[in-house]
Amino acid sequence: MRKIIQIREGWRFGRAVDPSAAVPVAEGWQEVALPHVWNKENPKEEGPRLYANTLGLPALRDGERVYISFGAVAGRCTAWLNGVRLGVHSGGYSTFRFDMTAAARKGQNELLVLADNTRFDDIIPLGGDFSNYGGIYREVDVIVTPFVHFDLAYYGSEGVELDASGDGRVTLVPHIAGNAKDCEICYTILGGDETISLTAGCGTDPVELNIPAPRLWNGREDPYLYTLRASLLRDGEILDEVELPFGFRDTAIDAEMGFFLNGTHLPVRGVAKHQDWAGAACGTTREMQEKDIALICEVGANAVRLSHYQHPGYTYDLCDRAGLVVWAEIPLLAIPDNNDGLYKNAENQMRELILQNKHHPSICFWGVQNEVAMMGETVQMYGKIDKLNALAKELDPDGISASANLSTVNNDSQLNFITDMVGYNRYSGWYEGEMEDYEAFFDGFHRDNPQVALGLSEYGVDCSVTLHADRPKRKDYSEEFQALFHETVWPMVEQRPYMWGSFVWNMFDFGSSVRDEGGVKGMNCKGLVIYDRSVKKDAFYFYKACWTDVPFVHLAGRRFARRSGETTWIKVYSNAEQVELIVNGRLFKRTEGRRVFLFEDVPLTDGENVIRAVSGSCVDEITITRVDEPEKSYIYIDPNPGFNVKNWFTPGQSEEDLFPQDSYSIMDRMGVLKENEKVWSLLEEMIPQVVGNPRVKVSTNMTLLRAINFMSGQFQEEYIIELNRKLNAISK
């Protein structure tokens, strides 16, 4: 039987002196424990770092094998044991293992691990709107097995492929390391305290089992799980054994009616999440992962998009138990032409993701790509995405493949016709356009592509719980605007039965070292909950009112505690049908409604005012203090505002005058501008800091105006107007 030894303590960490050496050395060794993230304070920092540990290994008997198992190592990982190189793994989010047997000896063994989070051009992702952490940030185990065992090196899986369907069929494909001759595998299926099935198979032969009338894994309603126990035997002796939790369920997607679980329509009410936490970065504990799933269940979501990479195995376990439908994905955010190494890495990460996790009944959608069109669209790109989609279907024939497209992807783009379902990442009303634009997009896309299953894979706005507004507006970063945005957009999704649903971006604020906006550096603040999970923003309670039926009332604006004026407005979120508002002990108003209860012209007396919302036995209370002047600390003033071209027009001047169709302008996309040598030379001369920015370089769909605004504060408005005039002088 296998033995598992956890290696959490006794690690040494240092900077690699010469990472290209046959066996590198480090300087500045310090003692650390796992999980360890070395750049959590400065995620922009990249490069090779060394870890070392002295392993006490037992003597190997009867041909036993010994592996080192990594839950994940950021970037590219190379490992040595006693000076012998064990192997290289490329990809920072999946489980992988190295066989140490040939280099191992009884007693003390020196393990050396080079963890390099450099953005290599042959490892996905090439970049992204999330921090690039570094280190050995998940668990590390030593695993001792018999010579013949379930193959631990088979893409980091447990060595048994399991596919289960709602009719009770279980297909099992074992992968055995060593000589499996004369071996058999005993498969046992356990349900609760009951043994449901017991059967044996020979060697590596696939086996199909049938369980009559299985209890289905049915999402939040009944997330029932079974356990498969696979025992590898020779002459009746158990050599190795693994267990996999699984569930019986069927899924389907329809372009007119959306998503179905076990034959029943299930609108996807989802949130997305990254894995990181305040203070821990990506090195989260089990308790942190449990907290995240508990909060997702509390808000009433029935689905989660685990973005934009493979998450810890324990997170998928928690989703199984909670009944959450999962969108799991690989970190493919760009796929340039003529980079076969990057494609091969994407393919390998797809194999790891699916083979390690396809037994999880919660994973219903396999994400093939996210916003790859950021760099423009090409025929090569379509071909590679098509091949990745085919691979996902080969590995999980009954799985549903998914794509998340950038908002600039046209309705007729080939990217919309490859995977089983399509989501769009749209930020109308925040980065561009108006909130009302969602309706026109949904209906227009469905009219143009009635055969495509459409949903909203990302939508949201940034906000800080310290910023507030009486009259919330776009880009004020107020808690009130975030709430207003979601109140406006979610019903547009909900009212369209042809849409499979949506994923709020994001459930939690998360680290993004490329960001500096809304007065917050290094963070994406679109979460419904703040980074340390201590505060649920008001928008959290809007969705709780939409998605749950356990009675509650919530008074919004509790952090908007200092208000000026004789009257104010009070907003209440509740899933009740009637709410009373009591102001300073007196009933102000009783009103009926749905989800959002807005009370206007609420009187304020000088000093503190106690506001209570009551619905049946549910009560919530806040205190608002009336002040003479608006609280300045609540108002965000952008020190580097972007340029608003609406102010550039003079009387009698039209948009065609400033941005002619037959000449270039700042409204053209970067990819178009790059195609003209004269135009690009002008940009390199006048705005070198823009065209040289790494994020702009890979964003061919970004307009020049947005690229300039991305680096706001570095140019005078008159200078950019002059740049636009010079571009106008160059004909297309």
Side-chain angles (χ1 to χ4, degrees):
M1 292 286 286
R2 68 175 60 181
K3 308 178 191 73
I4 301 175
I5 306 166
Q6 295 183 345
I7 311 296
R8 306 291 184 267
E9 306 293 333
W11 289 90
R12 304 182 300 280
F13 167 78
R15 183 184 294 270
V17 176
D18 182 8
S20 62
V23 181
V25 295
E27 60 183 5
W29 285 113
Q30 55 183 291
E31 299 292 325
V32 299
L34 300 187
H36 183 253
V37 182
W38 63 265
N39 67 340
K40 66 175 69 172
E41 301 302 325
N42 183 17
K44 289 185 178 180
E45 194 171 357
E46 298 179 354
R49 297 294 186 273
L50 277 171
Y51 291 82
N53 204 317
T54 302
L55 305 179
L57 298 179
L60 300 180
R61 301 175 295 117
D62 302 324
E64 285 182 325
R65 316 296 293 177
V66 58
Y67 293 84
I68 188 77
S69 176
F70 295 92
V73 177
R76 177 168 283 156
C77 174
T78 311
W80 295 260
L81 188 70
N82 301 324
V84 177
R85 196 175 86 153
L86 302 175
V88 180
H89 180 265
S90 296
Y93 303 99
S94 55
T95 296
F96 62 95
R97 303 181 179 106
F98 296 136
D99 189 339
M100 301 192 296
T101 309
R105 58 189 179 223
K106 179 182 178 181
Q108 303 299 297
N109 292 257
E110 294 301 319
L111 175 68
L112 189 67
V113 180
L114 183 68
D116 192 347
N117 72 325
T118 301
R119 292 290 195 187
F120 293 99
D121 62 7
D122 61 349
I123 301 177
I124 62 171
L126 296 177
D129 186 10
F130 51 94
S131 291
N132 181 30
Y133 297 113
I136 304 177
Y137 67 94
R138 291 186 193 155
E139 67 281 355
V140 174
D141 298 321
V142 169
I143 306 176
V144 180
T145 72
F147 176 72
V148 183
H149 56 277
F150 291 109
D151 192 355
L152 291 167
Y154 187 68
Y155 295 99
S157 72
E158 292 300 315
V160 177
E161 291 187 59
L162 186 157
D163 294 280
S165 59
D167 61 2
R169 179 169 38 88
V170 183
T171 303
L172 302 165
V173 180
H175 299 275
I176 308 298
N179 186 357
K181 184 180 179 182
D182 301 327
C183 289
E184 65 175 5
I185 303 172
C186 179
Y187 296 105
T188 306
I189 292 179
L190 306 172
D193 297 327
E194 182 183 4
T195 299
I196 306 297
S197 179
L198 189 68
T199 191
C202 296
T204 58
D205 295 339
V207 169
E208 184 172 298
L209 308 180
N210 288 281
I211 306 301
R215 181 172 168 182
L216 300 183
W217 185 90
N218 207 27
R220 294 291 306 274
E221 185 177 314
D222 184 16
Y224 190 80
L225 293 170
Y226 291 83
T227 299
L228 170 79
R229 180 181 297 149
S231 304
L232 181 63
L233 302 99
R234 175 176 283 154
D235 298 328
E237 177 189 359
I238 297 178
L239 302 177
D240 195 18
E241 192 168 77
V242 297
E243 290 189 353
L244 294 175
F246 75 99
F248 293 99
R249 54 105 176 112
D250 286 320
T251 60
I253 195 80
D254 184 87
E256 283 296 335
M257 302 176 66
F259 175 63
F260 288 79
L261 179 64
N262 300 323
T264 300
H265 181 231
L266 184 70
V268 173
R269 304 189 305 257
V271 295
K273 77 177 290 287
H274 276 287
Q275 65 179 338
D276 55 331
W277 261 68
C282 58
T284 56
T285 64
R286 287 195 164 204
E287 291 74 20
M288 291 174 176
Q289 295 171 54
E290 290 164 2
K291 175 74 169 177
D292 280 0
I293 300 305
L295 285 166
I296 290 170
C297 290
E298 181 185 343
V299 81
N302 62 14
V304 58
R305 182 180 176 201
L306 294 176
S307 314
H308 285 302
Y309 38 74
Q310 186 165 328
H311 282 236
Y314 188 59
T315 295
Y316 298 118
D317 287 338
L318 292 171
C319 292
D320 288 344
R321 298 172 198 167
L324 291 169
V325 168
V326 170
W327 171 319
E329 61 191 18
I330 59 171
L332 184 62
L333 283 75
I335 188 161
D337 284 355
N338 304 315
N339 188 335
D340 291 337
L342 188 74
Y343 170 75
K344 289 178 181 177
N345 183 254
E347 188 179 67
N348 191 69
Q349 291 201 44
M350 179 68 78
R351 290 185 184 277
E352 290 177 328
L353 174 69
I354 296 180
L355 292 171
Q356 290 175 25
N357 297 294
K358 68 174 179 173
H359 62 281
H360 290 289
S362 59
I363 302 180
C364 298
F365 313 134
W366 298 112
V368 172
Q369 60 91 0
N370 178 76
E371 297 188 352
V372 291
M374 181 74 77
M375 299 180 68
E377 299 180 38
T378 68
V379 173
Q380 272 196 43
M381 172 189 290
Y382 301 148
K384 289 174 179 176
I385 300 302
D386 191 54
K387 287 171 66 178
L388 283 172
N389 181 69
L391 176 61
K393 303 300 287 184
E394 173 193 329
L395 296 172
D396 185 9
D398 295 327
I400 297 172
S401 62
S403 291
N405 283 333
L406 192 69
S407 60
T408 53
V409 171
N410 293 329
N411 290 1
D412 61 356
S413 167
Q414 186 62 33
L415 291 174
N416 289 319
F417 310 110
I418 297 174
T419 52
D420 296 328
M421 59 187 272
V422 168
Y424 264 75
N425 300 345
R426 293 191 66 91
Y427 293 92
S428 302
W430 187 244
Y431 293 128
E432 69 275 318
E434 306 296 334
M435 291 185 280
E436 292 72 21
D437 295 343
Y438 285 96
E439 289 188 303
F441 168 72
F442 296 152
D443 294 340
F445 185 97
H446 187 60
R447 180 188 62 247
D448 293 346
N449 303 309
Q451 77 281 24
V452 177
L454 173 69
L456 194 56
S457 40
E458 290 183 20
Y459 67 110
V461 300
D462 291 81
C463 91
S464 168
V465 293
T466 65
L467 300 176
H468 303 282
D470 237 346
R471 295 179 178 83
K473 61 185 180 186
R474 175 179 174 269
K475 288 289 183 175
D476 66 7
Y477 295 93
S478 70
E479 191 173 6
E480 287 70 32
F481 183 76
Q482 185 195 45
L484 178 63
F485 173 90
H486 286 290
E487 291 171 26
T488 304
V489 176
W490 162 247
M492 299 179 190
V493 179
E494 185 182 29
Q495 293 163 7
R496 285 165 170 76
Y498 61 78
M499 293 187 68
W500 50 254
S502 64
F503 291 95
V504 175
W505 191 263
N506 197 282
M507 182 64 189
F508 309 103
D509 292 348
F510 60 91
S512 180
S513 59
V514 300
R515 286 183 172 260
D516 179 4
E517 59 178 310
V520 180
K521 290 185 178 181
M523 292 288 299
N524 187 312
C525 295
K526 294 184 180 68
L528 303 180
V529 180
I530 70 171
Y531 196 31
D532 67 3
R533 280 55 168 179
S534 65
V535 176
K536 304 164 191 169
K537 303 177 188 179
D538 282 339
F540 175 98
Y541 292 95
F542 165 69
Y543 282 106
K544 186 174 181 178
C546 296
W547 294 346
T548 69
D549 54 15
V550 176
F552 83 99
V553 292
H554 171 79
L555 277 159
R558 64 190 58 230
R559 285 166 287 277
F560 189 9
R562 295 171 63 81
R563 307 190 191 186
S564 60
E566 296 180 355
T567 63
T568 189
W569 53 263
I570 298 293
K571 185 183 291 184
V572 178
Y573 295 122
S574 179
N575 50 20
E577 296 179 355
Q578 186 181 85
V579 173
E580 294 179 350
L581 193 73
I582 299 171
V583 180
N584 295 322
R586 294 186 177 183
L587 176 65
F588 171 73
K589 191 175 183 181
R590 181 185 297 111
T591 186
E592 294 183 352
R594 186 169 180 259
R595 301 174 176 174
V596 183
F597 299 80
L598 183 62
F599 298 87
E600 297 184 297
D601 300 321
V602 178
L604 296 178
T605 60
D606 290 337
E608 292 187 347
N609 295 261
V610 178
I611 313 293
R612 301 181 78 211
V614 180
S615 179
S617 61
C618 300
V619 180
D620 195 20
E621 181 176 295
I622 63 173
T623 299
I624 293 176
T625 301
R626 179 179 170 185
V627 294
D628 294 333
E629 300 291 336
E631 177 63 41
K632 292 182 179 180
S633 66
Y634 292 163
I635 303 170
Y636 174 67
I637 300 175
D638 190 346
N640 300 305
F643 300 123
N644 183 359
V645 298
K646 292 179 181 178
N647 299 327
W648 294 6
F649 294 98
T650 58
Q653 194 175 39
S654 68
E655 185 170 345
E656 180 63 23
D657 294 326
L658 279 178
F659 315 117
Q661 295 297 310
D662 56 355
S663 299
Y664 291 94
S665 76
I666 62 170
M667 291 302 188
D668 283 314
R669 301 189 186 279
M670 298 302 297
V672 173
L673 299 170
K674 286 178 183 178
E675 293 174 354
N676 186 295
E677 185 176 342
K678 186 176 181 180
V679 167
W680 199 249
S681 295
L682 174 65
L683 299 183
E684 288 181 322
E685 175 189 346
M686 293 191 67
I687 51 171
Q689 57 272 68
V690 173
V691 296
N693 182 278
R695 188 172 179 185
V696 173
K697 280 183 177 180
V698 300
S699 302
T700 55
N701 273 330
M702 183 185 292
T703 65
L704 178 55
L705 176 62
R706 184 169 176 185
I708 292 169
N709 281 340
F710 182 67
M711 305 188 71
S712 57
Q714 299 196 28
F715 308 101
Q716 295 294 320
E717 194 152 16
E718 293 77 11
Y719 189 75
I720 301 304
I721 292 174
E722 179 62 22
L723 171 63
N724 190 64
R725 289 197 193 103
K726 290 184 177 181
L727 287 170
N728 292 167
I730 304 174
S731 298
K732 290 183 177 178

